[in-house]
Amino acid sequence: MTAVSDDGKRFKRSGRDRHATGNVPLRMRFGVIMRSMWQQSGGRFALIVMACWIAVSLLSLFWTPYPLLQTDGGHAWASPSAAHPLGTDGVGADVLSWLMAGSRTNLVIALLTMLVSAMIGLACTAVMVSGRRALASAGVVVVDALIAIPTVLLALLFAVPFGASIAVIVAACGMTYGLNMARIVKPSASLAARSAYVQAARAMGVSAWRVFFTHIVPSTFPVLAVQLSMSAGTSILAEAGLTYLGVGVPSGVPSWGHTLTTSVRLISVYPLTVLWPGLTVTLVVTALYLLGDAIRDCADPLANVELRKLAATVSRQTHNTGVDA
Amino acid sequence: MRETNEQTAMRKHESAEPSNGTVLLAARGICKFFGTRTHRIQALHDVDMDVREGECVAVIGGSGCGKTTLTRIMFGLDTADAGTVRYRGGLLAGPRSAAMRQLRVESGIVFQNPFTSLDPRWSAGRSIAEGLVVRAARSGRRRHSAGDGEAIDAAVRGALAMVGLDPDDFIGRYPLDMSGGQAQRVAIARAMVAQPRIMLADEPMSAVDVSGRVQILDALTEIRRRQPHMAMVIVSHDLGVVQQLADRIVVLHDGRIEETGATGDLLANPQSAYTKQLIAAAAW
Ligand SMILES: Nc1ncnc2c1ncn2[C@@H]1O[C@H](COP(=O)(O)OP(=O)(O)OP(=O)(O)O)[C@@H](O)[C@H]1O
Ligand SMILES: [Mg+2]
């Protein structure tokens, strides 16, 4: 009896907690966002490709049609067949197995690049919109200067001491995309930083950091969503390019760029082998770009009416259950 | 003419002395310049102004006379080039001074345009609760402690009800789905929710259509009635509003205090020529 009423009370409280800050439970918000994305053709395509990518990456941890190192010299450059659906490469290894395993590497690279570029981008943005004028203008100058360094050059520089590795790709991409992001995000961020709602928050004693993360960063959401997904997509293209140059993933580590590199040498003789990694990369990069657009349109309460409606309904319902209990 | 000026000066002197409530906010010798080194304009010339506990002071004057500049300086949103502002005796000296912190906690500010002063990505409930949530977190208690949540929820609901909005309906609403009058009342609720000692409203009705103005005026009147101990500074062009809300009027003209006095006195019996003009213009 006591336990039950205790539970009821706790539920009521947590409901009111959410209610007071106008927050909708994360799970409900996520559901509405997913549904809205599914209703767009671009969003649906992106979601399907992302789901496949993640599923294949996980699957490749346990199973690939052939072990990666199993080669069959007699069947090098084999055409697609029942045994090897996507054919074999120059040493007779199964292309499908390598692509499956490679999707894992590329997923890691895309996620890490997104993370690093977000951190660098937001850090630079924070400096550029800071209240200290001198710091802000110094930040703008530094970002504008560093933005001129191309990704490839940076990767080549990093590769000198560290050798070819995933870290080199992530560092080079994260840095250049982060700086780019900062520059693109800055106008909306500084608009928000000067806005009356930020002044109001500061006047209530909200700290500058809190204002940055709760008001200024969300105000850049439309740009940020697109930029972040573009970072992820472009990092996959960069991985292919850098691996081809020998400063990307080390040989022996499966990646789409690796498969592309090994097969591109004989493209004029066996064009079909290039087709599969090329198609995979194109598909995934397109999906990532579309994903950014879909997130921008669906995850922002300003753009998505459904999210606003959800907040209104939930707050009404939460209160009613509170009254009934 | 000279007599009038002397009378004005006398009246100004009288009202600068503490009469009923104690002085909460006191500005002395405020000067403010704008522009570059070569082309400077002085927006405020040596302005003195007091706000006492529980009184509603209206600042009126023509466009560009410095009302916004003066009130922003008094509430610590801007800094003066000369002069001092004291809140409950403590000098507002930089954002980290004790008096400034106290003023931040004990003041509520309503901006002119509700659609720029409310974060468009925040629901009304979240915006109103913002200050309380931060304070609860700062006071050392756990952010998610149930008692805090309940107290904050009650305060948010109370504030919404006070400005005449249905809490059930508005807590989860976004500014995009509100009218101007509703949004401004949410902004007023945000300023009121922590039960401030002093509130600033800089032309809270000018960005809103006529029906919205009535709602805002009603909300402010209700607040005056329910919170008689709270001081209020209201900047307005609308003498009707001023007459309904204010106990005292400060007339600003080209960055100088032209005249100040109790609302009834000043409107019925303006001393300076400029105030007479203002009142005549409003009577139109
Ligand atoms: N940031 C600024 N830069 C330059 N000049 C400014 C700035 N802010 C205000 N001023 C000038 O200072 C003077 C006073 O401006 P203020 O905004 O205080 O007037 P106001 O009385 O609030 O006018 P209104 O009734 O139109 O709101 C004006 O001449 C204005 O042009
Ligand atoms: Mg103004």
Side-chain angles (χ1 to χ4, degrees):
Chain A
M1 184 67 201
T2 351
V4 172
S5 71
D6 243 352
D7 263 357
K9 237 180 200 170
R10 198 179 296 160
F11 172 76
K12 201 171 105 187
R13 274 178 187 163
S14 72
R16 282 192 171 187
D17 239 8
R18 262 183 240 136
H19 192 180
T21 47
N23 272 351
V24 177
L26 214 60
R27 200 151 29 93
M28 293 175 84
R29 216 174 338 168
F30 188 72
V32 168
I33 292 170
M34 282 295 154
R35 218 170 307 137
S36 310
M37 282 170 70
W38 189 256
Q39 277 157 10
Q40 294 184 348
S41 51
R44 188 180 304 185
F45 172 76
L47 284 178
I48 292 173
V49 174
M50 291 302 120
C52 293
W53 187 14
I54 292 167
V56 169
S57 298
L58 291 176
L59 178 66
S60 75
L61 282 172
F62 312 105
W63 180 83
T64 49
Y66 292 88
L68 292 186
L69 297 180
Q70 179 181 320
T71 55
D72 180 359
H75 280 97
W77 302 117
S79 304
S81 64
H84 298 285
L86 304 184
T88 62
D89 66 5
V91 291
D94 182 48
V95 169
L96 179 62
S97 301
W98 275 79
L99 280 181
M100 282 177 68
S103 60
R104 206 168 59 215
T105 313
N106 281 83
L107 186 61
V108 169
I109 290 174
L111 287 176
L112 286 180
T113 302
M114 236 163 37
L115 193 73
V116 171
S117 62
M119 283 184 341
I120 292 177
L122 290 182
C124 292
T125 309
V127 170
M128 289 196 291
V129 302
S130 99
R132 287 171 212 168
R133 289 266 175 77
L135 187 67
S137 26
V140 172
V141 171
V142 169
V143 167
D144 277 348
L146 291 181
I147 219 164
I149 305 175
T151 316
V152 175
L153 182 62
L154 212 55
L156 290 171
L157 284 176
F158 287 150
V160 173
F162 302 116
S165 74
I166 290 176
V168 167
I169 302 176
V170 170
C173 291
M175 178 116 178
T176 46
Y177 304 164
L179 292 170
N180 246 311
M181 186 183 305
R183 213 172 58 163
I184 292 168
V185 155
K186 193 214 155 194
S188 50
S190 54
L191 212 61
R194 287 195 303 265
S195 72
Y197 57 82
V198 163
Q199 275 181 26
R202 296 289 282 145
M204 286 186 293
V206 183
S207 73
W209 281 114
R210 202 183 164 97
V211 163
F212 182 72
F213 284 109
T214 59
H215 288 291
I216 297 179
V217 173
S219 80
T220 68
F221 182 80
V223 197
L224 203 61
V226 172
Q227 283 299 310
L228 274 176
S229 64
M230 272 180 56
S231 297
T234 316
S235 78
I236 290 172
L237 298 177
E239 185 271 326
L242 294 174
T243 304
Y244 184 76
L245 288 177
V247 292
V249 296
S251 59
V253 175
S255 78
W256 295 335
H258 181 270
T259 309
L260 211 53
T261 305
T262 52
S263 52
V264 85
R265 295 203 184 97
L266 286 171
I267 187 169
S268 50
V269 191
Y270 303 105
L272 212 54
T273 340
V274 181
L275 185 68
W276 307 121
L279 263 181
T280 312
V281 167
T282 312
L283 199 70
V284 168
V285 171
T286 310
L288 277 170
Y289 287 3
L290 290 172
L291 182 72
D293 290 354
I295 290 178
R296 175 198 58 200
D297 296 338
C298 300
D300 183 358
L302 220 50
N304 189 352
V305 194
E306 299 302 322
L307 272 181
R308 300 204 299 274
K309 277 188 196 156
L310 175 74
T313 356
V314 165
S315 65
R316 240 172 264 146
Q317 282 168 357
T318 329
H319 182 62
N320 290 343
T321 54
V323 165
D324 294 344
Chain B
M1 190 67 205
R2 185 181 287 169
E3 275 176 23
T4 320
N5 278 346
E6 273 168 12
Q7 277 179 344
T8 314
M10 267 180 62
R11 189 189 280 206
K12 188 178 162 184
H13 183 70
E14 277 168 9
S15 64
E17 273 173 13
S19 51
N20 36 20
T22 52
V23 174
L24 265 187
L25 199 55
R28 289 288 174 274
I30 301 291
C31 295
K32 180 76 181 177
F33 298 91
F34 285 113
T36 58
R37 227 168 266 161
T38 49
H39 182 81
R40 281 212 310 187
I41 58 159
Q42 187 163 3
L44 294 173
H45 301 260
D46 194 21
V47 174
D48 295 350
M49 183 174 156
D50 285 340
V51 183
R52 291 190 194 80
E53 234 156 43
E55 77 170 341
C56 177
V57 185
V59 181
I60 64 172
S63 187
C65 68
K67 306 181 293 290
T68 299
T69 309
L70 172 64
T71 48
R72 284 180 63 91
I73 289 172
M74 289 184 75
F75 280 77
L77 297 173
D78 271 328
T79 52
D81 293 315
T84 57
V85 181
R86 286 177 183 278
Y87 178 64
R88 299 175 76 185
L91 191 66
L92 299 189
R96 293 188 195 286
S97 61
M100 186 72 92
R101 281 168 193 249
Q102 195 178 14
L103 178 63
R104 294 237 184 284
V105 173
E106 295 179 359
S107 66
I109 297 175
V110 179
F111 292 83
Q112 184 170 0
N113 186 341
F115 292 112
T116 57
S117 73
L118 294 170
D119 190 328
R121 288 187 171 77
W122 282 34
S123 63
R126 191 174 173 204
S127 281
I128 296 171
E130 185 177 21
L132 297 177
V133 170
V134 167
R135 253 160 247 170
R138 196 165 294 162
S139 70
R141 279 172 285 160
R142 283 293 183 91
R143 235 184 95 195
H144 290 294
S145 105
D148 270 0
E150 234 161 69
I152 289 174
D153 183 46
V156 169
R157 291 179 164 280
L160 275 170
M162 193 188 285
V163 295
L165 296 172
D166 173 16
D168 283 344
D169 193 3
F170 275 86
I171 259 179
R173 247 208 242 196
Y174 286 81
L176 205 61
D177 301 325
M178 297 177 203
S179 73
Q182 291 169 339
Q184 189 62 292
R185 282 184 289 162
V186 168
I188 293 172
R190 174 180 60 182
M192 286 299 304
V193 71
Q195 309 208 319
R197 263 174 197 271
I198 185 163
M199 183 165 129
L200 168 64
D202 186 353
E203 307 199 23
M205 296 164 206
S206 58
V208 171
D209 61 28
V210 177
S211 69
R213 285 177 202 195
V214 176
Q215 297 169 341
I216 295 166
L217 183 59
D218 287 348
L220 289 174
T221 311
E222 178 68 10
I223 287 170
R224 286 290 295 150
R225 197 177 62 76
R226 285 216 223 163
Q227 309 267 326
H229 299 299
M230 185 184 72
M232 191 187 275
V233 177
I234 182 161
V235 176
S236 183
H237 278 118
D238 189 336
L239 288 187
V241 171
V242 169
Q243 196 164 19
Q244 178 162 348
L245 288 174
D247 304 316
R248 198 158 61 86
I249 295 178
V250 172
V251 183
L252 213 56
H253 178 41
D254 280 344
R256 291 184 176 84
I257 301 252
E258 183 80 16
E259 182 170 1
T260 149
T263 304
D265 281 1
L266 192 139
L267 289 180
N269 194 10
Q271 297 299 309
S272 88
Y274 180 72
T275 313
K276 281 176 188 157
Q277 265 180 32
L278 267 185
I279 293 170
W284 263 70

